[in-house]
Amino acid sequence: MENGVSSFNKFIHELPMDSDTSSMDYSSTEEDGDGMYPPTPSSQCSRMSRASTFSRNRGHSTGWTIFLFSWILFPLRFLLGIPIRFFRLFYIRRSTASPRGSHQNSPLHTFKKIHSLRDHVIHRTTDRRRGVIEDLHLAIEVFIEVIFDFFHKAAHFLLSPSEVLKAICRWFLSWTSGNEDIHGGVSDTSIPAATLGEDDPAPTETKTTLHNSLNTDARTCQDVITELGYPYEAIHVITSDGYVLLLERIPRRDSRKAVYLQHGILDSSMGWVSNGVVGSPAFAAYDQGYDVFLGNLRGLVSREHIEKEISSQNRYWRYSINEHGTEDIPAMIEKIHQVKSAELKISQPDLEEETNDDQHYKLCAISHSLGGAAMLMYVITSRIEEKSHRLSRLILMSPAGFHHDSSLVFTAFEYMFLPLAPILACFVPAFYIPTRFFRMLLNKLARDFHNYPAVGGLVQTLMSYVVGGDSSNWVGVIGLPHYNMNDMPGVSFYVAHHLAQMKRARRFRMYDYGSASANMDAYGFPEPLDLGENYGFIDIPVDLVAGKKDNVIRPSMVRKHYKLMKEACVEVSYTEFEYAHLDFTFSHHEELLAYVMSRLLLVEPAQKQLRNEKSLRLKRKGQTKF
């Protein structure tokens, strides 16, 4: 082990560039996928399946675009639908009358042949994830082909009236016969698909729908972890106010050293594994023997709560940073403690009975941005309430809390947002993309930003100005899998209001409920608790990391934490790197990983500490005997 990087990570990193795809920056891409992760067995399987079944993605890969065109052209479709239906029924009748397996010169074979070009166009464009521009181009090609196909069939009807009459008669006769029809557009279709590795090589029937054929990336943190060969465990945690959280884990059940990673605003556990095997803090910690826990704060569009009426209403979003620090993190850390204690008792039954001051494992926390502020709030409030926080060390990367030194954009937002907050709270419960369609559109636009570098560069420049000139790869982050059509992180209105309050007050404090009486009910004081003035309650080492290029939380604001902790006699260190705000989680920087791992190694594993304590007790007993 060298410079805090495990030998496994070092081995992977030293592979030739041709074979190392996981160490690429998130802004790079591969031809077949998202480019952020190496090819997986599932992706190889899908490519072989497409090669063996030529019409696998027939019509469904562009189902949503055809669906839109079908509604736009509904009047024409309604008027011309009857003769087309007659035509199809006529050919179906003729094809069923012919011997099975005979396709020569049959109308049904001709009908399938007509659509072969469209299948080819769809197949050609589904080898990788597409953006909006590519989807529109594909839709135009298919639309033009359908128009020509329609006129070809209409001419056939006019030149063969007898066949049309026969088709009409057969249509009336087969109305109640339940014959199977050929469906077009976006209907569900059974498509033969071969699966790699099956004992029986014969194709099986797979149900394909519009929702799973939209050609977007909807992988979860579990998918990323398991695709890279690591173990995975999902733990559902329920807070005291009923919110259902997902605590994800890369388990080492017999390890006595654990690490808890907490994401920041508009992020999830995906941020800790998004750089692949090399460059991700979660994998680096696991390779060094840690039991890794990935926390997810409340605030997903899915809105999970034990009370279904709260999940379906805007009441779900009624929380501030207070709830992150006093509900979410305590619930997840207590769940970690329960799980670790139970597992260590099973694997090591000779352990002594645990006390509040001594636990059989060491737990360190790594937090980013908003997660850092919530973690500090958790430690301080736990100590004030004389509860054990169960942590051995804090590593805070660009932590939130102090924001008065910020860009002109954030200052303008503060002055506009705070006066309008009472009115906006009635209409804007949270900031997120509410519908699946627009979330899918964002996912596809992110693909366009990458496929067209000029457009992506323009959007990157605009995004950097919006966030105060921060040079993070905002376009690359938008393309990450946790911003997908099924779910995505959101920001509660009260979280944004809380940040604006701290900026205005120039202090790191808890949420101000707006009146002395409301604050008295919440805190027992007319003013919210000032966390910066209570840093003396922090009883564990803290490592602060700032980014010199970070214009979201500037280094001066991280140094404010450092100054107050020094004055409160906290064991604290301060380090700066040449990073922007998102570089701490979404970029591959070996020096940052080496630093974080080196700080974790300063915490002595619980097993060694217990041995030292036992040896001291034995020495004391020996001294008393003599």
Side-chain angles (χ1 to χ4, degrees), residues 299-581:
L300 291 173
V301 176
S302 54
R303 292 186 283 188
E304 293 186 69
H305 196 279
I306 57 174
E307 298 182 24
K308 295 191 179 297
E309 59 271 17
I310 293 180
S311 297
S312 60
Q313 296 174 1
N314 291 333
R315 290 171 54 194
Y316 174 89
W317 300 101
R318 294 179 185 174
Y319 62 85
S320 64
I321 305 176
N322 282 16
E323 282 68 31
H324 289 325
T326 62
E327 297 287 349
D328 296 349
I329 292 179
M332 287 187 281
I333 288 183
E334 282 303 310
K335 177 60 71 173
I336 292 172
H337 178 67
Q338 293 174 12
V339 170
K340 289 299 297 178
S341 298
E343 290 176 349
L344 289 175
K345 284 181 181 178
I346 294 174
S347 62
Q348 303 173 29
D350 57 337
L351 291 176
E352 297 179 358
E353 192 66 27
E354 183 178 296
T355 63
N356 290 332
D357 297 329
D358 181 31
Q359 57 192 30
H360 298 315
Y361 64 96
K362 294 298 180 181
L363 178 63
C364 299
I366 303 174
S367 303
H368 176 241
S369 189
L370 183 69
M375 193 66 67
L376 287 171
M377 183 184 297
Y378 161 69
V379 172
I380 293 170
T381 54
S382 297
R383 294 280 289 119
I384 290 175
E385 296 172 1
E386 297 182 349
K387 296 179 181 178
S388 174
H389 52 68
R390 307 194 184 282
L391 296 173
S392 300
R393 193 176 196 94
L394 282 180
I395 302 174
L396 307 179
M397 299 185 291
S398 192
F402 295 103
H403 303 277
H404 49 273
D405 180 15
S406 60
S407 66
L408 182 62
V409 175
F410 289 135
T411 303
F413 173 79
E414 170 206 338
Y415 280 99
M416 290 187 297
F417 183 74
L418 288 177
L420 297 175
I423 301 174
L424 292 175
C426 302
F427 303 100
V428 185
F431 302 97
Y432 64 95
I433 301 177
T435 63
R436 286 172 56 87
F437 173 77
F438 286 106
R439 291 197 293 271
M440 177 196 67
L441 189 63
L442 175 67
N443 192 273
K444 285 183 169 290
L445 284 174
R447 198 60 182 170
D448 288 329
F449 298 155
H450 177 82
N451 293 339
Y452 301 92
V455 178
L458 176 62
V459 174
Q460 172 68 30
T461 302
L462 293 175
M463 286 292 297
S464 65
Y465 279 119
V466 169
V467 291
D470 187 86
S471 60
S472 300
N473 192 339
W474 300 95
V475 170
V477 171
I478 291 174
L480 287 174
H482 61 346
Y483 294 109
N484 60 70
M485 61 183 293
N486 298 318
D487 206 357
M488 69 176 294
V491 179
S492 165
F493 174 87
Y494 295 99
V495 168
H497 191 219
H498 194 174
L499 291 170
Q501 285 182 354
M502 290 191 291
K503 179 172 168 51
R504 172 68 60 87
R506 304 171 69 90
R507 291 185 291 173
F508 177 28
R509 64 179 189 175
M510 302 187 76
Y511 185 74
D512 188 352
Y513 290 95
S515 65
S517 59
N519 289 330
M520 282 292 294
D521 294 337
Y523 309 115
F525 300 97
E527 290 287 328
L529 178 67
D530 191 318
L531 298 168
E533 293 181 355
N534 288 276
Y535 276 169
F537 283 98
I538 300 175
D539 58 346
I540 54 176
V542 179
D543 300 298
L544 298 172
V545 184
K548 294 181 180 179
K549 298 179 180 179
D550 190 343
N551 282 320
V552 176
I553 300 176
R554 293 180 172 174
S556 59
M557 297 294 91
V558 183
R559 286 196 294 269
K560 180 72 172 178
H561 288 284
Y562 176 74
K563 178 183 177 182
L564 292 176
M565 289 183 187
K566 270 294 187 182
E567 292 175 354
C569 299
V570 178
E571 184 182 344
V572 59
S573 67
Y574 175 81
T575 307
E576 287 185 1
F577 291 98
E578 293 286 341
Y579 300 155
H581 190 67

Side-chain angles (χ1 to χ4, degrees), residues 87-314:
F87 172 75
R88 288 177 175 175
L89 288 172
F90 167 72
Y91 280 143
I92 292 169
R93 279 289 185 178
R94 181 175 293 186
S95 64
T96 54
S98 62
R100 185 172 181 179
S102 175
H103 297 285
Q104 54 182 0
N105 299 326
S106 68
L108 181 59
H109 181 62
T110 306
F111 178 76
K112 290 182 178 179
K113 205 171 177 184
I114 290 172
H115 290 269
S116 63
L117 284 177
R118 184 178 65 181
D119 292 338
H120 174 67
V121 171
I122 294 172
H123 172 75
R124 180 165 50 85
T125 55
T126 52
D127 290 336
R128 59 184 177 84
R129 187 160 64 91
R130 304 183 308 275
V132 175
I133 297 176
E134 291 173 288
D135 271 336
L136 290 176
H137 177 74
L138 175 62
I140 291 171
E141 290 186 37
V142 173
F143 179 72
I144 293 173
E145 182 186 340
V146 169
I147 293 296
F148 277 96
D149 190 26
F150 163 74
F151 282 108
H152 178 268
K153 294 173 183 176
H156 180 74
F157 288 148
L158 293 175
L159 296 175
S160 303
S162 59
E163 293 186 2
V164 174
L165 292 175
K166 290 179 183 179
I168 294 174
C169 295
R170 290 192 181 97
W171 181 73
F172 282 112
L173 291 174
S174 62
W175 181 259
T176 57
S177 64
N179 284 338
E180 195 171 344
D181 197 3
I182 298 177
H183 298 284
V186 295
S187 303
D188 293 351
T189 309
S190 291
I191 301 175
T195 303
L196 183 66
E198 289 183 347
D199 296 331
D200 184 9
T204 57
E205 295 294 319
T206 303
K207 200 71 172 177
T208 303
T209 63
L210 170 65
H211 295 292
N212 61 15
S213 62
L214 291 175
N215 202 243
T216 59
D217 190 358
R219 284 175 296 173
T220 62
C221 185
Q222 175 182 357
D223 297 329
V224 175
I225 293 172
T226 54
E227 283 174 2
L228 294 175
Y230 287 82
Y232 175 85
E233 181 182 349
I235 305 171
H236 291 280
V237 179
I238 300 178
T239 64
S240 61
D241 54 352
Y243 285 77
V244 181
L245 310 177
L246 178 61
L247 178 64
E248 299 179 277
R249 183 186 185 190
I250 310 177
R252 281 192 185 274
R253 305 185 192 283
D254 58 346
S255 176
R256 291 194 180 184
K257 52 182 184 178
V259 61
Y260 169 66
L261 297 102
Q262 185 54 65
H263 64 78
I265 196 168
L266 280 176
D267 195 5
S268 71
S269 56
M270 181 70 74
W272 302 111
V273 299
S274 60
N275 291 318
V277 175
V278 178
S280 296
F283 296 135
Y286 179 85
D287 291 338
Q288 292 193 2
Y290 284 85
D291 194 353
V292 180
F293 293 87
L294 310 173
N296 287 281
L297 300 175
R298 66 183 71 185
L300 291 173
V301 176
S302 54
R303 292 186 283 188
E304 293 186 69
H305 196 279
I306 57 174
E307 298 182 24
K308 295 191 179 297
E309 59 271 17
I310 293 180
S311 297
S312 60
Q313 296 174 1
N314 291 333

